[in-house]
């Protein structure tokens, strides 16, 4: 019998850990707290009154009530993308859990979103496109350890390398070095190929190691597709390259120390953003670093601050490093409301410091009805990539306000379908009127199939 979890945006494919038996495969963006099955048993006595702590490794996770672990019981913070933490009340991302034999359990989660977006103005464009993500994870627990093998894949390389319209967004390149502006780049086939090992170092305190050829360093908030505050929203943030653009990094090693109330981590990783070849795995390097501290003072709140030094992140700015500082505050009511407020300062080295603000919320009013929205404000110097343009490299502070609605229908016990739409309006200085029109407007209609619900 499968067990379902809730969460945000991914669809699953095959596992490239071909050298391992299926029972050794793993992937988890779930809220399963590291190791603390013993704590879990104590925290949820009415759920599992006679659960002897030594038997957790043996028990059938397919029958285990993961929802009890992830939906607000005092068992520890939820886990987002990479090693990011989220409020405990967020629970796990949706997924299907199953036993793999012995002490191994598995989790599969995925989403496929078909969307049509249209934006007005001289730089507006429209497109029908498909976003996709698949996650597969295998996990093995003992009373004092947890091992996870994770993979996350996307079929987005199938779409045009130019990506899809997203007015005022920028980042990465297509067509042999042409900057992608007013569009969102497609994601790579391999979004994560990583392992994580947690072990208890003192009562209530665990240490962990995370890493792999494709992973996410300890920098910024949990990536947009892996946080409840952006769960229904079909549009990537225009501030993606200020907050969570490192969510696909080729070469990551992270070490951390954690309790239920705090986590500190340090990463070494490859600073360069993914290149235009989206099917392969780029050469891992460890030329950049980051530090992140996360506080989770109550089940409803998480606060992270992080700082990173990225070695030549952008292909269009060779010889230019970046110092990125982010802070984000996450709230989850445990009853359908999730929100995040975040700040980032991207300091080009050498060059300007470009700041960004983001506030977003996802409010599930009723099981089938969800409202969502996002406000962003960012100083962007990449809107005119043509060197001959007098506005080239100039910094413009622009903004976007977006609001939408999604209607969800369960499909049996293991999947869900959501349909919805959003509208967006944009803010900009008058100097951009010629390029963008006086009042650019955009909308997106979408249908999303989610495995796990
Ligand atoms: Cu991305």
């Amino acid at each position: 019998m499968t067990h379902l979890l809730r969460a945000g945006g991914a669809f699953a494919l095959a596992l490239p850990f071909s050298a391992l038996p299926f029972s050794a495969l793993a992937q988890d963006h779930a809220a399963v707290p590291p190791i603390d099955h013993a704590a879990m048993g104590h925290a949820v006595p009415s759920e599992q009154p006679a659960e002897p702590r030594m038997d957790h490794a043996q028990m059938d996770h397919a029958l285990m009530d993961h929802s009890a672990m992830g939906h607000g019981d005092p068992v520890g913070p939820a886990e987002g993308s990479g090693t990011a933490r989220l409020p405990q009340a967020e629970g796990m991302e949706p997924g299907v859990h199953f036993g793999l034999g012995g002490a191994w359990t598995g989790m599969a989660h995925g989403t496929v979103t078909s969307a049509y977006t249209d934006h007005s103005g001289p730089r507006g464009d429209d497109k029908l496109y498909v976003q996709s993500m698949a996650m597969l994870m295998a996990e093995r627990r003992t009373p004092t350890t947890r091992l996870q093998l994770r993979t996350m894949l996307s079929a987005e390389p199938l779409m045009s390398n130019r990506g899809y319209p997203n007015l005022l967004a920028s980042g990465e390149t297509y067509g042999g070095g042409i900057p992608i502006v007013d569009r969102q780049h497609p994601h790579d086939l391999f979004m994560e190929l990583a392992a994580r090992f947690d072990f208890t170092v003192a009562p209530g305190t665990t240490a962990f190691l995370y890493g792999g050829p494709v992973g996410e360093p300890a920098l910024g908030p949990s990536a947009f597709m892996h946080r409840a505050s952006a769960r229904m929203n079909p549009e990537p943030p225009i501030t993606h390259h200020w907050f969570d653009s490192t969510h696909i990094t080729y070469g990551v090693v992270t070490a951390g120390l954690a309790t239920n109330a705090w986590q500190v981590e340090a990463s070494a990783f490859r600073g360069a953003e993914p290149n235009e070849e989206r099917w392969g795995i780029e050469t891992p390097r460890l030329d950049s670093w980051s530090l992140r501290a996360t506080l989770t003072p109550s089940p409803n709140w998480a606060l992270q601050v992080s700082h990173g030094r990225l070695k030549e992140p952008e292909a269009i700015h060779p010889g230019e490093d970046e110092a990125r500082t982010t802070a984000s505050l996450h709230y989850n009511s445990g009853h359908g409301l999730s929100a995040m407020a975040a700040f980032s300062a991207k300091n080009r080295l050498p060059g300007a410091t470009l700041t960004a603000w983001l506030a977003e919320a996802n409010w599930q009013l009723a099981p089938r009805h969800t409202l969502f929205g996002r406000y962003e404000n960012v100083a962007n110097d990449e809107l005119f990539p043509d060197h001959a343009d007098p506005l080239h490299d100039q910094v413009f502070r622009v903004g976007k306000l977006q609001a939408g609605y999604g209607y969800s229908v369960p499909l049996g016990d293991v999947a869900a379908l959501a349909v919805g739409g959003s509208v967006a309006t944009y803010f900009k200085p008058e100097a951009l009127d010629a390029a963008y029109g006086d009042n650019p407007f955009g909308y997106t209609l979408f249908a999303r199939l989610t495995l796990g619900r």
Side-chain angles (χ1 to χ4, degrees), residues 13-18 22 25-27 135-138 150-151 153:
L13 292 176
L15 270 184
F17 289 108
S18 52
F22 183 65
L25 298 174
Q27 145 72 327
M135 302 159 60
L136 277 169
M137 188 245 334
R150 311 174 171 194
T151 186
L153 304 168

Side-chain angles (χ1 to χ4, degrees), residues 52 61 79 92 105 111 146 163 185 200 203 218 255 290 304 328 352 415 432:
H61 279 236
E79 295 179 347
M92 297 188 223
T105 59
T111 66
R146 182 183 72 167
H185 61 79
T200 300
S290 65
Q304 74 81 27
S328 59
L432 296 185

Side-chain angles (χ1 to χ4, degrees), residues 132-209:
S132 61
M133 179 182 4
M135 302 159 60
L136 277 169
M137 188 245 334
E139 177 174 297
R140 185 183 194 281
R141 289 174 184 259
T142 72
T144 56
T145 67
R146 182 183 72 167
L147 173 65
Q148 292 182 330
L149 305 176
R150 311 174 171 194
T151 186
M152 181 159 43
L153 304 168
S154 174
E156 289 180 10
L158 289 170
M159 79 168 74
S160 157
N161 232 355
R162 215 182 147 208
Y164 50 90
N166 194 20
L167 214 55
L168 295 175
S170 65
E172 305 193 12
T173 63
Y174 76 103
I178 304 170
I180 296 174
V181 179
D182 299 313
R183 303 178 80 88
Q184 165 67 37
H185 61 79
H187 286 110
D188 290 55
L189 169 64
F190 293 103
M191 303 211 295
E192 187 177 48
L193 278 177
R196 173 175 171 148
F197 183 65
D198 292 73
F199 53 99
T200 300
V201 292
T205 305
T206 58
F208 64 87
L209 271 174

Side-chain angles (χ1 to χ4, degrees), residues 202-229:
T205 305
T206 58
F208 64 87
L209 271 174
Y210 164 89
V214 193
E216 178 179 324
L219 180 59
S222 180
F224 64 86
M225 57 283 267
H226 303 286
R227 57 186 189 236
S229 54

Side-chain angles (χ1 to χ4, degrees), residues 112-114 232 406-411 416-420 446-450:
V112 181
T113 305
S114 178
M232 188 62 81
Y407 179 77
S408 310
V409 193
L411 299 177
L417 178 69
V419 293
F446 69 95
R448 175 178 297 143
L449 189 63
T450 302

Side-chain angles (χ1 to χ4, degrees), residues 32 56 67 112 115 148 157 160 185 188 200 231 236 261 287 299 308 342 344 350 352 378 396 418 444 449:
V32 185
H56 272 89
S67 64
V112 181
Q148 292 182 330
S160 157
H185 61 79
D188 290 55
T200 300
R231 184 149 301 159
D287 55 16
S344 174
V378 57
F396 296 100
T444 298
L449 189 63

Side-chain angles (χ1 to χ4, degrees), residues 25 59 72 102 113 128 131 135 172 209 223 273 283 295 322 351 356 379 419:
L25 298 174
M59 67 188 287
T113 305
L128 179 68
Q131 301 163 318
M135 302 159 60
E172 305 193 12
L209 271 174
E273 292 173 346
T283 310
L295 290 178
E322 178 183 324
V419 293

